[in-house]
Amino acid sequence: MRAQRIAVLVLALAIVFGGPTWGAEKNQASHHPPTVQEAERFIEQAEARLNKLAIASSQADWVQATYITNDTEALAASARGEFLGAVTELAHRAKRFEAMKLPPPVARKLKLLKLSVSAPAPQDPKERAELAQLSTWLEGTYGKGKYCPQSGPFAGKCLGQSEMEEAMARTKDPATLLDLWEGWRRFSPPMRPKYTRFVELANKGAREMGFADLGTLWRSNYDMTPQEYSAELDRLWQQVRPLYIALHTYVRSQLVKKYGPQVVPPNGPIPAHLLGNIWAQDWTNIYDLLDVPGSGGGVDLTPILREKKANDLGMVRYGERFFTSLGFDPLPETFWTRSLFLKPRDRDVVCHASAWDIDNQQDVRLKMCIQIRDEDFRTIHHELGHNFYQLAYRHRPFLFQDSANDGFHEAVGDTIALSITPEYLQKIGLLRQVPSTESNLGLLMHGALEKVAFLPFGLVIDQWRWRVFSGEVKPADYNRAWWDLRTKYQGVAAPVARTESDFDPGAKFHVPANVPYTRYFLAAILQFQFQRGLCRAIGYTGPLHRCSIYGNQEAGARLKKMLEMGKSRPWPEALDALTGERQMDATAMLDYFAPLKKWLDEQNQGKPTGW
Ligand code: X8Z
Ligand code: ZN
């Protein structure tokens, strides 16, 4: 599960440092100043040891995530504890090399070592074990989370994440939506004390490593200072905020039409249960409420996939074929035999999609409860982006087996998914007729409901966590702070009063799973920059939203070059390799959606804006 799973695994990795036995070296260290050769040897041995423990931890995590029981949880916690213990120990031992002038790759690895887990353990073995147990418990509890409505159209069923997503996507009745929305948030309150303790311990681990708190550690992983990273996010948000506000204004006005001003305040935040998604992070499911002109074929893939009788395996094959058309090798045979594509009927699994790299070599896997629908078709491409990244950097040393920054890992598959144009769908036989360019507004609106609507959500999760980690938000205010931030950034509100006996952050996977979240904000912006870079490189000059790199080996070679770099160099170099640019820049996203922005601005004349 390294690499995207690195998302989670790095988490785990980061989490797992553990073994004792550093006394001897400490003594040695006091006797003579360390040499460059010692530093080199140290990091080489550290990588070999971490690699071994990471594999063991990934194997245990995989079994836990695909078969949640007390036993698998205990086994995963134990392997995670070992890994975390090693990271902690090595990071502390590495301190003696810190002031030295070292070859740049060695210095970089020493830095990355400290950043290699998303929840570093304290040195105390008891606290480390507790942290590992808490983190596996939190993720398992989320995986088991479900709501079993007593009445209404879903009475008698129990809805886990996948079924809940589908239910909230299809339902338009506000009372049912409200019941689903509240019901999903009933399994998370027991997480609150555990999460509080988890924060204490992970903060302690981060402080012992020399960071002010865990949030500072997370923000230190971008080849710039933590302050610079915060400012960078703010700069990017200011670039795209007018586009978000235009979308919010239009969507709210349409929801007022549909549900009335009693339910949707025309000047206020949008009630969070009406946006077609459990967390109001992706609004594509209310596309049909929006009256967009020229909604031609190829916008929503769900009916197409169902008509073609596509199944889970077939959908993943479409994704793989896109990558092989670019010149990538096919996925290894073990991917097909070891992955989990469907929700098993007889046991709890973590249905939230993830891409795993079990052995940091060939054993990559997808874990997903695939449903035959548009969203999952795109998510498959997203996940395969992680897997092809993992395969591309597998020849790098352990500490460079990661993306340039975490936003890159999240952006690769999405960049590919931007090439799912009507022309591409026609080429692969999923669409009979390519709609005229008049339907661009439909395509663009659908894309904006996924990617533009997501932007503030991509920021808000870690705005909350950073405050939690720094102590600015105390446990007694967890839920209030959560909703204050959601309203501030997204302009959405809880549809019913929430209190501190709720723990709404726990109902979103990445909080209990402790996956840092600004990566998705970066990815939302980077994918358009990657797409623009690739389309320009192959001489494409038409509108960006109609560019598909399918079958283009030149684009593939360019992409591969960046993926193979892994994390060996600062991310601006990787960005440069792909796009010729060294700064993250949202103008590509703005270019892509420019025709929609113009149309929204016309529609929004005279409408109330903001909240
Ligand atoms: O978690 C994911 C992927 C796995 S890395 C399915 N995503 C975020 C989410 O679901 O909240 C992709 C989009 C944002
Ligand atoms: Zn991802």
Side-chain angles (χ1 to χ4, degrees):
M1 154 170 184
R2 273 223 356 156
Q4 166 12 30
R5 176 41 181 162
I6 240 186
V8 181
L9 229 223
V10 156
L11 286 192
L13 287 195
I15 295 182
V16 189
F17 256 62
T21 72
W22 42 22
E25 183 169 287
K26 243 189 195 163
N27 292 340
Q28 219 182 24
S30 54
H31 289 308
H32 67 87
T35 63
V36 171
Q37 284 71 18
E38 270 175 341
E40 283 171 337
R41 229 176 105 68
F42 168 83
I43 204 73
E44 201 181 297
Q45 289 176 349
E47 287 188 290
R49 180 170 162 205
L50 290 178
N51 185 52
K52 232 175 124 195
L53 292 171
I55 294 171
S57 181
S58 294
Q59 290 168 328
D61 278 344
W62 174 269
V63 180
Q64 192 217 355
T66 58
Y67 197 153
I68 310 174
T69 68
N70 288 343
D71 298 328
T72 57
E73 192 179 304
L75 294 168
S78 160
R80 190 174 286 198
E82 290 295 311
F83 176 73
L84 285 182
V87 174
T88 305
E89 178 204 317
L90 292 165
H92 287 278
R93 273 169 49 191
K95 282 182 190 155
R96 62 192 286 250
F97 306 113
E98 252 164 26
M100 294 171 63
K101 176 131 185 56
L102 293 167
V106 178
R108 184 167 176 81
K109 283 179 182 176
L110 288 173
K111 193 181 87 176
L112 294 178
L113 174 61
K114 288 200 283 184
L115 302 169
S116 65
V117 285
S118 57
Q123 295 184 71
D124 179 289
K126 263 178 55 203
E127 290 181 330
R128 181 206 318 143
E130 189 185 354
L131 177 68
Q133 277 153 14
L134 284 168
S135 67
T136 43
W137 183 88
L138 284 163
E139 191 174 344
T141 301
Y142 182 88
K144 286 186 276 190
K146 48 181 82 69
Y147 173 50
C148 313
Q150 302 288 305
S151 59
F154 303 99
K157 296 198 176 110
C158 285
L159 312 174
Q161 178 180 296
S162 308
E163 298 85 22
M164 182 58 83
E165 283 185 283
E166 188 59 12
M168 288 202 71
R170 304 284 154 240
T171 308
K172 297 287 182 281
D173 167 51
T176 308
L177 283 169
L178 182 59
D179 182 59
L180 294 171
W181 189 94
E182 281 193 88
W184 182 251
R185 285 157 180 78
R186 279 191 206 137
F187 67 75
S188 53
M191 290 179 187
R192 180 189 268 265
K194 307 266 194 189
Y195 189 74
T196 305
R197 178 68 178 147
F198 170 81
V199 169
E200 269 170 29
L201 291 171
N203 260 341
K204 189 167 180 203
R207 291 197 181 112
E208 287 179 7
M209 245 181 228
F211 298 94
D213 60 60
L214 185 59
T216 312
L217 183 154
W218 287 8
R219 294 192 297 279
S220 298
N221 210 355
Y222 297 90
D223 298 302
M224 57 176 85
T225 67
Q227 295 77 4
E228 283 165 346
Y229 181 59
S230 298
E232 192 61 359
L233 288 182
D234 201 47
R235 178 182 69 79
L236 293 167
W237 173 229
Q238 293 312 325
Q239 272 189 297
V240 292
R241 196 169 174 275
L243 178 58
Y244 179 72
I245 298 292
L247 182 68
H248 183 281
T249 301
Y250 182 71
V251 165
R252 182 176 57 190
S253 71
Q254 294 296 109
L255 291 175
V256 173
K257 270 197 218 159
K258 162 91 181 159
Y259 294 110
Q262 253 50 345
V263 180
V264 182
N267 296 299
I270 303 173
H273 62 311
L274 301 178
L275 289 157
N277 177 272
I278 313 180
W279 310 276
Q281 69 179 68
D282 174 332
W283 303 351
T284 35
N285 293 312
I286 58 156
Y287 176 78
D288 45 3
L289 301 182
L290 295 185
D291 279 345
V292 186
S295 303
V299 174
D300 178 5
L301 295 178
T302 304
I304 302 177
L305 292 166
R306 291 187 184 164
E307 191 202 316
K308 288 272 171 193
K309 307 231 177 322
N311 63 9
D312 53 305
L313 185 66
M315 282 167 65
V316 183
R317 286 283 183 198
Y318 278 120
E320 183 196 36
R321 268 198 295 275
F322 201 117
F323 283 91
T324 53
S325 89
L326 298 175
F328 287 85
D329 289 338
L331 290 162
E333 195 46 40
T334 47
F335 172 88
W336 303 101
T337 52
R338 297 177 188 176
S339 289
L340 182 140
F341 293 159
L342 291 176
K343 182 176 173 159
R345 286 189 218 180
D346 58 346
R347 61 184 201 261
D348 284 319
V349 303
V350 180
C351 268
H352 189 87
S354 52
W356 297 54
D357 183 356
I358 300 280
D359 67 351
N360 309 326
Q361 285 303 318
Q362 281 282 336
D363 191 355
V364 297
R365 304 179 196 176
L366 168 63
K367 177 184 67 56
M368 186 171 168
C369 303
I370 297 176
Q371 305 180 67
I372 311 308
R373 50 179 196 153
D374 182 279
E375 195 180 327
D376 290 33
F377 192 71
R378 294 175 203 277
T379 301
I380 287 167
H381 289 73
H382 172 94
E383 298 303 335
L384 291 187
H386 290 307
N387 287 138
F388 279 96
Y389 214 150
Q390 291 156 349
L391 290 167
Y393 59 54
R394 69 178 186 276
H395 300 299
R396 298 278 169 189
F398 179 84
L399 285 164
F400 293 157
Q401 287 180 352
D402 199 354
S403 53
N405 72 37
D406 55 5
F408 283 57
H409 230 305
E410 300 302 336
V412 170
D414 286 4
T415 304
I416 299 303
L418 287 178
S419 281
I420 305 178
T421 58
E423 288 76 9
Y424 164 69
L425 291 171
Q426 191 191 37
K427 248 188 216 164
I428 63 168
L430 282 182
L431 196 63
R432 237 163 278 135
Q433 238 191 338
V434 171
S436 75
T437 42
E438 255 103 85
S439 334
N440 279 347
L441 274 183
L443 285 169
L444 287 174
M445 179 60 95
H446 200 267
L449 291 171
E450 182 191 345
K451 321 255 181 194
V452 178
F454 178 79
L455 290 163
F457 187 82
L459 284 176
V460 87
I461 305 252
D462 285 350
Q463 290 296 328
W464 181 79
R465 274 191 296 203
W466 294 349
R467 285 167 174 77
V468 165
F469 295 148
S470 75
E472 186 187 329
V473 169
K474 305 264 181 304
D477 297 319
Y478 275 173
N479 227 48
R480 191 187 49 72
W482 173 258
W483 284 107
D484 284 354
L485 287 164
R486 293 211 50 193
T487 302
K488 176 179 164 198
Y489 281 91
Q490 284 185 280
V492 305
V496 286
R498 308 301 284 167
T499 72
E500 293 303 330
S501 27
D502 301 308
F503 184 55
D504 294 329
K508 174 67 193 161
F509 170 76
H510 302 72
V511 174
N514 198 39
V515 182
Y517 209 83
T518 60
R519 62 184 60 196
Y520 302 108
F521 173 80
L522 296 182
I525 287 169
L526 280 171
Q527 62 188 265
F528 293 98
Q529 204 174 349
F530 291 177
Q531 160 85 342
R532 183 173 68 182
L534 290 168
C535 292
R536 274 182 186 163
I538 62 176
Y540 176 87
T541 52
L544 269 185
H545 56 276
R546 282 292 180 102
C547 170
S548 179
I549 60 167
Y550 179 68
N552 193 304
Q553 308 250 329
E554 196 186 329
R558 215 178 161 95
L559 178 61
K560 207 188 251 176
K561 198 169 144 212
M562 179 181 89
L563 302 190
E564 281 170 353
M565 291 169 73
K567 205 177 174 67
S568 62
R569 307 287 308 157
W571 65 260
E573 287 182 38
L575 183 60
D576 192 23
L578 190 70
T579 65
E581 294 156 348
R582 300 182 63 91
Q583 259 221 328
M584 293 190 273
D585 177 14
T587 61
M589 184 177 204
L590 299 179
D591 287 355
Y592 185 101
F593 287 111
L596 178 73
K597 175 70 162 55
K598 182 165 167 280
W599 182 83
L600 285 171
D601 288 346
E602 286 157 17
Q603 306 306 306
N604 289 342
Q605 290 285 328
K607 290 199 168 90
T609 206
W611 51 86

